[in-house]
Amino acid sequence: MHTNAPLLIIAAGGTGGHMFPAQALAEEMLARGWRVRLSTDARGARYTHGFPSEVEVRVMPSATFARGGALAKLAAPFRIAAGVIGALAAMLRDRPAVVAGFGGYPAIPAMAAAWALRLPRMIHEQNGVLGRVNALFAKRVDRVACGTWPTALPAGVEAVHTGNPVRGAIRERAGAGYIPPGDYPMSLLAIGGSQGARILADLVPAAVAELPAPLRAHLRVAQQAREEDVERVLRAYRDLGMEAEVATFFADVPRRLSEAQLVIARAGASSVADISVVGRPAILIPFAAATADHQTANARGLKEAGAAVVLAEDGLDAGRLAEHMQAILGDPDRARQMSAAAVSQGRPDAAEALAGLVEALAGKDEA
């Protein structure tokens, strides 16, 4: 990469929800001849395995006031200050053309340094409600981009709807041909966010057990689960006489999505974006404890389009989940319509739209 190429610093936190769209923008900016540096913390660095090797990863100290004991909360401002000082020094040495924040507390040092140096800066919010860090910077940046529309914004803040950027491997499968359910092997994919979800471990195998035997006989299940849940989920499927793939993380979610007849998932912004772009019928179970119930907001577009059934986790049981699974897997026409409706909600060009904002901020926009 040419050292006088413009530099984009991406500031992002340590969950897949923040890191997948950050990775998508990094891929797009590299393709446009930019240098890209990721500013995150030690936790975020664990999610960088999918980033292109040309992306330089800088680990900056950061902290949250929302977790940990009294001592951790006391130490938080000092850790954040150390991170900001480190980010300021790095930006003075190698001045970025733009700094783009994707939320999460590890984004604080780079965003605060960019604000202090008055560098061109923007944030991208993945969810239908601003996260705490993005809410902090929303009035202190030049542009606010939103992945979910509409997004609840502070008074006086205007935003651009770009959609949520998806990784290249998802974009390659945009609108992939859908095989509706039938009397042949069908794929059920259950994904629960970066680390799986306890409720899916509890409910999905139990719901599969309640499906009619002829339908269940055709089902192939791949399910993401937390490490402590993997063995019991596997056992539940074995007890049904089913072979199932159960793992804490699937590296090939794009392929599995494109092959699925039905997806059961949380309503994290990245999951919703991936499901929309590939175009698959979904049953979404928003995480009830999500800040400001943002996962319900994320799911709204797919629900209103008729692409997804949205079930509140409060009071949800295996019987009710099984009813909805059977209603989709037993109705090929409905499943086909849901797939098409999902595609209508997809924004496969979101990374390009976001990259356009970056270049416009840097004064490199040709238009």
Side-chain angles (χ1 to χ4, degrees):
M1 182 63 62
H2 211 282
T3 51
N4 62 9
L7 171 66
L8 169 66
I9 292 181
I10 292 175
T15 68
H18 298 304
M19 296 302 245
F20 289 150
Q23 178 189 325
L25 178 62
E27 291 168 350
E28 180 64 26
M29 297 312 294
L30 288 170
R32 296 183 182 211
W34 282 55
R35 291 183 295 138
V36 179
R37 181 182 302 153
L38 174 68
S39 180
T40 189
D41 74 344
R43 179 168 164 250
R46 297 205 300 265
Y47 287 86
T48 58
H49 51 81
F51 277 72
S53 58
E54 301 95 321
V55 174
E56 180 192 353
V57 178
R58 287 272 179 97
V59 175
M60 294 287 174
S62 192
T64 174
F65 294 94
R67 285 199 293 275
L71 210 59
K73 288 185 170 70
L74 276 175
F78 299 100
R79 287 186 60 75
I80 292 168
V84 173
I85 290 165
L88 278 167
M91 289 179 193
L92 288 168
R93 276 195 307 273
D94 190 4
R95 197 174 180 86
V98 177
V99 179
F102 282 81
Y105 67 86
I108 294 172
M111 293 308 299
W115 173 76
L117 294 173
R118 296 296 184 263
L119 295 171
R121 56 205 179 276
M122 60 183 283
I123 56 171
H124 177 273
E125 175 56 55
Q126 298 86 55
N127 299 300
V129 177
L130 286 180
R132 288 191 190 95
V133 172
N134 276 347
L136 176 67
F137 287 103
K139 292 187 174 183
R140 296 175 173 88
V141 294
D142 303 300
R143 287 281 183 285
V144 176
C146 293
T148 302
W149 202 256
T151 293
L153 296 165
V157 172
E158 291 186 8
V160 181
H161 179 214
T162 57
N164 276 316
V166 295
R167 297 157 286 163
I170 290 285
R171 275 158 71 187
E172 284 167 16
R173 291 167 171 80
Y178 177 64
I179 300 170
D183 294 330
Y184 36 74
M186 294 183 288
S187 173
L188 172 70
L189 177 63
I191 45 178
S194 305
Q195 298 297 327
R198 166 66 55 85
I199 192 168
L200 298 187
D202 292 341
L203 287 182
V204 177
V208 169
E210 297 208 18
L211 294 173
L215 177 56
R216 195 168 64 235
H218 291 298
L219 219 48
R220 306 287 179 271
V221 180
Q223 180 163 352
Q224 208 178 16
R226 301 190 313 177
E227 200 167 335
E228 59 267 37
D229 294 329
V230 168
E231 192 46 50
R232 72 182 176 95
V233 173
L234 271 171
R235 198 176 327 119
Y237 287 119
R238 268 199 297 265
D239 291 348
L240 290 170
M242 294 179 69
E243 283 296 317
E245 291 181 81
V246 182
T248 56
F249 181 80
F250 291 128
D252 56 349
V253 165
R255 176 186 66 79
R256 291 176 186 275
L257 259 180
S258 65
E259 293 174 359
Q261 272 66 50
L262 175 62
V263 180
I264 300 175
R266 288 300 208 181
S270 283
S271 294
V272 169
D274 290 354
I275 289 165
S276 306
V277 168
V278 177
R280 292 298 174 261
I283 295 174
L284 300 176
I285 306 170
F287 179 39
T291 311
D293 197 22
H294 68 248
Q295 288 207 356
T296 298
N298 294 347
R300 192 176 297 131
L302 284 179
K303 179 184 179 181
E304 290 176 355
V309 173
V310 179
L311 303 175
E313 68 175 273
D314 189 33
L316 181 60
D317 60 24
R320 188 150 160 263
L321 179 57
E323 280 174 32
H324 286 287
M325 291 167 65
Q326 187 178 347
I328 296 167
L329 292 172
D331 187 343
D333 286 339
R334 182 188 177 197
R336 196 184 286 109
Q337 286 165 5
M338 290 178 77
S339 170
V343 171
S344 77
Q345 295 295 298
R347 295 291 295 262
D349 62 343
E352 287 98 320
L354 206 52
L357 286 181
V358 170
E359 295 203 323
L361 267 183
K364 292 179 61 63
D365 191 22
E366 302 292 320

